[in-house]
Amino acid sequence: QVQLVESGGGWVQPGESLRLSCAASGRDFSSKTMAWYRQAPGKQRELVAAITSGGFTNYADSVKGRFTISRDNAKNTVFLQMNSLKPEDTAVYYCNGRIATSPISWDDYWGQGTQVTVSS
């Protein structure tokens, strides 16, 4: 059974930092692209950052320069370091792992989500 378990969310004040972790089990994701998404109340889920197995990364424009995604393949874990947090970063953050099942299809695996609240 594949499981992605996030941790590290919480409440912080604007300008502070948080580090999210996502531990995968039941499947080896070390050769797969991993990503973080977020969903704020009343909004669609959006991609925050992604990292390939080789370490290439991409970020949403809204978090570039503030967030850093990284991974530890030996531990099947992906991280999201969030600095200079803003109230608009408030959302539930989800870890995602994608495994291709064919050249044109894939299975998406999701964690349960972790709440990040940025407020003074």
Side-chain angles (χ1 to χ4, degrees):
Q1 180 183 1
V2 177
Q3 278 192 313
L4 301 178
V5 179
E6 301 104 335
S7 61
W11 175 84
V12 294
Q13 295 188 340
E16 294 184 339
S17 300
L18 278 176
R19 188 187 194 217
L20 305 183
S21 299
C22 171
S25 61
R27 188 72 182 261
D28 181 9
F29 282 90
S30 62
S31 63
K32 313 301 180 185
T33 294
M34 300 292 291
W36 287 95
Y37 286 73
R38 68 186 180 187
Q39 187 166 18
K43 295 187 176 181
Q44 288 190 328
R45 190 172 296 188
E46 64 174 357
L47 176 67
V48 176
I51 184 168
T52 68
S53 58
F56 291 100
T57 59
N58 70 285
Y59 298 92
D61 288 343
S62 59
V63 307
K64 282 180 181 177
R66 300 188 298 121
F67 290 13
T68 302
I69 188 171
S70 61
R71 66 192 299 163
D72 183 338
N73 287 334
K75 296 182 178 180
N76 224 14
T77 301
V78 64
F79 306 97
L80 185 68
Q81 177 67 43
M82 305 185 294
N83 298 329
S84 302
L85 282 160
K86 304 175 180 180
E88 50 264 43
D89 295 317
T90 295
V92 178
Y93 284 70
Y94 296 92
C95 178
N96 168 267
R98 175 167 289 184
I99 297 177
T101 54
S102 79
I104 59 170
S105 64
W106 54 85
D107 287 335
D108 272 321
Y109 296 91
W110 296 94
Q112 81 286 355
T114 185
Q115 176 71 46
V116 172
T117 303
V118 185
S119 173
S120 55

